[in-house]
Amino acid sequence: MKAALYQGNRTFTVTDVAPVPPGPGEVRLDVAYVGICGTDVHIFHGAMDARVKPPQIIGHEMSGTVAEVGPGVTGLAVGDSVVVRPLDNRAETAADRGHSHICRGLKFIGIDSPGAYQRSWTVPAFTVHKAPAGVDLKLAALAEPLAVACHDVRLGEVKPGELAVVIGGGPIGMLVALVARAAGARVILSEVNESRLAFARELGFEAVNPAKVDLPALCRERSSDSGADIVFEVSGAKAAAATMTDLLAIRGRIVLVAIYPKPVELNLFQFFWKELKLIGARVYEPEDYTKAVELIAGGSFPIDRLITRVEPLDRIQGAFENLDATPDAMKILIDCRA
Amino acid sequence: MKAALYQGNRTFTVTDVAPVPPGPGEVRLDVAYVGICGTDVHIFHGAMDARVKPPQIIGHEMSGTVAEVGPGVTGLAVGDSVVVRPLDNRAETAADRGHSHICRGLKFIGIDSPGAYQRSWTVPAFTVHKAPAGVDLKLAALAEPLAVACHDVRLGEVKPGELAVVIGGGPIGMLVALVARAAGARVILSEVNESRLAFARELGFEAVNPAKVDLPALCRERSSDSGADIVFEVSGAKAAAATMTDLLAIRGRIVLVAIYPKPVELNLFQFFWKELKLIGARVYEPEDYTKAVELIAGGSFPIDRLITRVEPLDRIQGAFENLDATPDAMKILIDCRA
């Protein structure tokens, strides 16, 4: 069975490995499509070698079907269309207070343990979410990043008619914008890359370059002079952190989606003055997966527009190299059945 | 009638002025006690002369009785014991969305208009809260800072049994600690000044110097290894902003009470990683005043312990100078009837 092994130093090798028979509580999946995540690119660049320990199979944004069911697994049958929520919380303790998805002992499947860039993947059954029969598995491969967006919008408590600003128009920012719009928000997307701006406009968003447009003024203009209700900070840019507070109305909220490895300056005076809220958001909870699968299966959510290209597993090396050369791409899928 | 005029340059003069007859919708109050607020000290130091425009009567933490009721005022009668919520929101607009207490056109009475360091004070009736007959007016003078604390604890949604850390043991920090404890929280007070620490311990709090004690470890120890549920940042210290995220459990909250005039560094990674929340809090809403008056009138709340000294209006100059020399003092009251 074909599998792509990340070898370190920007190198994948596609080799033959034996499928792993499912143990008690596990299922073996036939992998259909796996999306290339920003984290995968980060791994490819060697930035996470200490954690990943090459050679390792990585990848976690997947869709597929159940191939084999291990002892004790209920609710799943061979042939079911599924997606995987790649969070292994088995090291959770009482000190985590039930917040399983961000428990201190969390292992991320596909980073801390073998991932999905292979024909057959064996995972704990509790990570598997069923998708409706007949779902387009290409679209279902986007369930993982879409669940991130569903989590962000849910934690932000977006209400119909609210003005939302999404800072950063990469795949996650674009998905947050789509989910916020589906929740009834009016969305402005802020992005400096012109081709991403053009893409956001194709999706029907008001999309602006904050280096060229007075974004705080635009927010007031779109809100009868109040300012935005909610900002999703997805860019990770220092300048975004420094200025996001200027966009908001009194009692506005910021959902912090981006990862800032180092401390950055924030305008705490604005938090006090306008009674703003900052809400950290990380990965997803089971209900976010349920919502993501619903949106995908519903058919009216334009998730298909985010798929830039599909490449066969044999060409994974080229797909990663290509992504470095064309950073404007949205989602590249690896077809593990091809 | 005696009044203290702030003249600029660390100088008050006590002179005779005519009482202001109440116009429509106004009441004239006989002022009993006025607490010296940190903002008053700031004004005394000349830091707010552009806003205050000396000579001006300042002061806003007051208690008193109704002396005269203007035309059209209902619900208030001569002799009623009262406190004033010194927020004039008459310039509020629809863009403020009903958040009257922090509306953009807010005028703070006692800063932006004449204040309470005088025998007789005329204010809009909508700022007046009645206290029960027979309330100790010395204690009632603390309603304003206590309402700040009630607002902070309410916005923080403190629940019984939670572990709360209050950073900063000045008058507001101490009141936040008391209100959080009254709401059922277990409170740790963090403060570097040893005499404030000793005072906090007298009030029954676990009080520690974060320069000497490993505060994150203490929080874990007091919470079965989870960390604190909520932090009240009242110190305004850069070091507090930089490290407050280390104290918290997964999904912990920070209520930002302190004023940071300049941007400061925050550990946004922790906000993401633990899904923390930062909640800005400013002044108070009417319900916070209701709560503060209830606590004071209830009799079991140890607000009396915070009154360091009472000085007659004639000695206001010395009282302010003395406060500069003894920064450990909690609350100094000016007796405007003496």
Side-chain angles (χ1 to χ4, degrees):
Chain A
M1 168 202 83
K2 259 192 240 179
L5 278 163
Y6 166 66
Q7 299 283 2
N9 193 26
R10 297 174 188 249
T11 308
F12 281 101
T13 54
V14 178
T15 49
D16 203 62
V17 303
V20 178
E26 292 184 337
V27 287
R28 185 170 65 80
L29 308 176
D30 281 335
V31 180
Y33 299 94
V34 187
I36 300 182
C37 174
T39 305
D40 296 339
V41 174
H42 216 52
I43 292 171
F44 181 67
H45 290 166
M48 295 171 73
D49 280 0
R51 185 168 165 197
V52 170
K53 300 187 185 66
Q56 193 196 304
I57 303 167
I58 65 168
H60 59 271
E61 297 185 1
M62 72 79 72
S63 65
T65 53
V66 175
E68 198 178 342
V69 175
V73 174
T74 56
L76 289 172
V78 172
D80 283 349
S81 293
V82 296
V83 295
V84 167
R85 183 168 36 83
L87 304 182
D88 179 353
N89 67 317
R90 285 176 288 186
E92 188 178 345
T93 73
D96 299 312
R97 298 178 172 179
H99 301 302
S100 312
H101 71 298
I102 50 172
C103 66
R104 280 183 264 186
L106 187 72
K107 301 275 181 204
F108 200 97
I109 304 175
I111 299 175
D112 300 309
S113 60
Y117 291 126
Q118 51 180 328
R119 286 231 167 144
S120 177
W121 192 30
T122 301
V123 294
F126 68 81
T127 67
V128 175
H129 285 254
K130 262 163 83 162
V135 72
D136 182 335
L137 290 172
K138 273 199 197 78
L139 305 185
L142 276 83
E144 197 268 358
L146 182 56
V148 169
C150 290
H151 187 67
D152 300 338
V153 170
R154 182 167 64 84
L155 263 54
E157 298 179 19
V158 171
K159 286 172 275 298
E162 286 195 325
L163 181 65
V165 179
V166 178
I167 306 179
I172 295 291
M174 218 62 86
L175 287 167
V176 168
L178 286 168
V179 175
R181 184 166 69 185
R186 297 172 294 127
V187 177
I188 297 174
L189 192 122
S190 170
E191 167 62 55
V192 290
N193 177 309
E194 289 296 334
S195 63
R196 285 183 168 178
L197 281 170
F199 179 65
R201 288 180 195 124
E202 281 173 31
L203 288 173
F205 293 112
E206 175 161 31
V208 298
N209 183 337
K212 296 183 179 174
V213 165
D214 182 343
L215 189 52
L218 179 66
C219 290
R220 290 193 298 274
E221 202 182 314
R222 294 283 177 272
S223 60
S224 308
D225 198 37
S226 291
D229 296 286
I230 186 160
V231 166
F232 292 91
E233 195 337 64
V234 195
S235 73
K238 263 189 181 184
T243 59
M244 60 191 180
T245 46
D246 300 335
L247 309 179
L248 286 165
I250 291 172
R251 289 244 173 129
R253 296 104 65 202
I254 298 166
V255 178
L256 182 74
V257 181
I259 302 176
Y260 284 82
K262 290 184 185 168
V264 287
E265 285 196 341
L266 247 66
N267 186 336
L268 288 190
F269 183 80
Q270 291 261 3
F271 274 91
F272 159 79
W273 194 250
K274 298 196 284 193
E275 293 198 333
L276 304 180
K277 233 181 233 179
L278 177 72
I279 304 157
R282 182 175 155 215
V283 293
Y284 25 67
E285 292 170 273
E287 66 197 284
D288 303 311
Y289 254 71
T290 304
K291 175 79 178 169
V293 169
E294 262 174 36
L295 284 172
I296 289 169
S300 61
F301 195 75
I303 189 94
D304 57 311
R305 303 287 300 277
L306 266 77
I307 300 173
T308 307
R309 212 166 40 247
V310 183
E311 300 273 11
L313 184 57
D314 281 329
R315 293 208 338 232
I316 190 171
Q317 177 71 26
F320 271 76
E321 287 170 359
N322 202 321
L323 204 49
D324 279 348
T326 56
D328 300 348
M330 283 288 136
K331 194 50 74 181
I332 311 292
L333 298 185
I334 301 296
D335 183 348
C336 291
R337 301 185 296 194
Chain B
M1 170 204 80
K2 260 192 239 178
L5 278 163
Y6 166 66
Q7 299 282 4
N9 193 25
R10 298 174 187 250
T11 309
F12 281 101
T13 55
V14 178
T15 50
D16 203 61
V17 303
V20 179
E26 291 184 337
V27 286
R28 186 169 66 79
L29 308 176
D30 279 337
V31 180
Y33 299 93
V34 187
I36 300 182
C37 174
T39 305
D40 296 339
V41 174
H42 216 52
I43 292 171
F44 180 67
H45 290 166
M48 294 170 74
D49 280 1
R51 185 168 165 196
V52 169
K53 299 186 185 66
Q56 193 196 305
I57 303 167
I58 64 167
H60 60 270
E61 297 185 2
M62 72 79 72
S63 64
T65 53
V66 175
E68 200 178 340
V69 174
V73 174
T74 56
L76 289 172
V78 172
D80 283 348
S81 293
V82 295
V83 296
V84 167
R85 182 168 38 84
L87 304 183
D88 178 353
N89 66 317
R90 285 176 289 186
E92 188 178 345
T93 72
D96 298 313
R97 299 179 173 180
H99 300 303
S100 312
H101 70 299
I102 50 172
C103 65
R104 280 183 264 187
L106 187 74
K107 301 274 181 205
F108 199 97
I109 304 174
I111 298 175
D112 300 309
S113 60
Y117 290 126
Q118 52 181 329
R119 285 229 170 145
S120 178
W121 191 29
T122 301
V123 294
F126 67 80
T127 67
V128 174
H129 285 254
K130 262 164 83 163
V135 71
D136 182 336
L137 289 172
K138 273 199 195 78
L139 305 186
L142 276 82
E144 197 268 356
L146 182 56
V148 169
C150 290
H151 187 67
D152 301 337
V153 170
R154 182 167 64 82
L155 263 54
E157 298 179 19
V158 170
K159 286 171 276 297
E162 287 195 325
L163 181 65
V165 179
V166 178
I167 306 178
I172 295 291
M174 219 62 88
L175 287 166
V176 168
L178 287 167
V179 175
R181 182 165 71 185
R186 297 171 293 127
V187 176
I188 297 174
L189 192 123
S190 171
E191 168 62 57
V192 290
N193 177 308
E194 289 297 332
S195 64
R196 284 182 168 177
L197 281 170
F199 179 66
R201 288 181 195 123
E202 281 174 32
L203 288 173
F205 293 112
E206 175 162 32
V208 298
N209 184 336
K212 296 182 180 174
V213 164
D214 182 343
L215 188 53
L218 180 66
C219 290
R220 289 192 299 273
E221 201 181 314
R222 294 282 178 272
S223 60
S224 307
D225 199 37
S226 291
D229 296 286
I230 186 160
V231 167
F232 293 91
E233 188 351 54
V234 195
S235 74
K238 262 189 184 183
T243 59
M244 60 192 180
T245 46
D246 299 335
L247 309 179
L248 286 164
I250 291 172
R251 289 245 172 127
R253 294 103 66 202
I254 298 166
V255 178
L256 183 74
V257 181
I259 302 176
Y260 284 81
K262 289 184 187 169
V264 287
E265 284 196 341
L266 246 64
N267 186 336
L268 288 190
F269 183 80
Q270 292 261 4
F271 274 91
F272 159 79
W273 194 249
K274 297 196 284 193
E275 294 198 334
L276 304 180
K277 233 181 230 180
L278 177 72
I279 304 157
R282 181 175 156 215
V283 294
Y284 25 65
E285 292 170 272
E287 67 198 283
D288 303 311
Y289 254 71
T290 303
K291 175 77 178 172
V293 170
E294 262 173 35
L295 285 172
I296 290 169
S300 62
F301 195 77
I303 190 96
D304 58 310
R305 303 287 300 279
L306 266 77
I307 300 173
T308 307
R309 212 165 41 247
V310 183
E311 299 273 11
L313 184 58
D314 281 330
R315 293 207 341 231
I316 190 171
Q317 176 72 24
F320 271 77
E321 287 171 359
N322 202 321
L323 204 49
D324 279 347
T326 57
D328 300 348
M330 283 289 135
K331 195 50 74 180
I332 311 293
L333 298 184
I334 300 296
D335 182 349
C336 291
R337 301 185 296 195

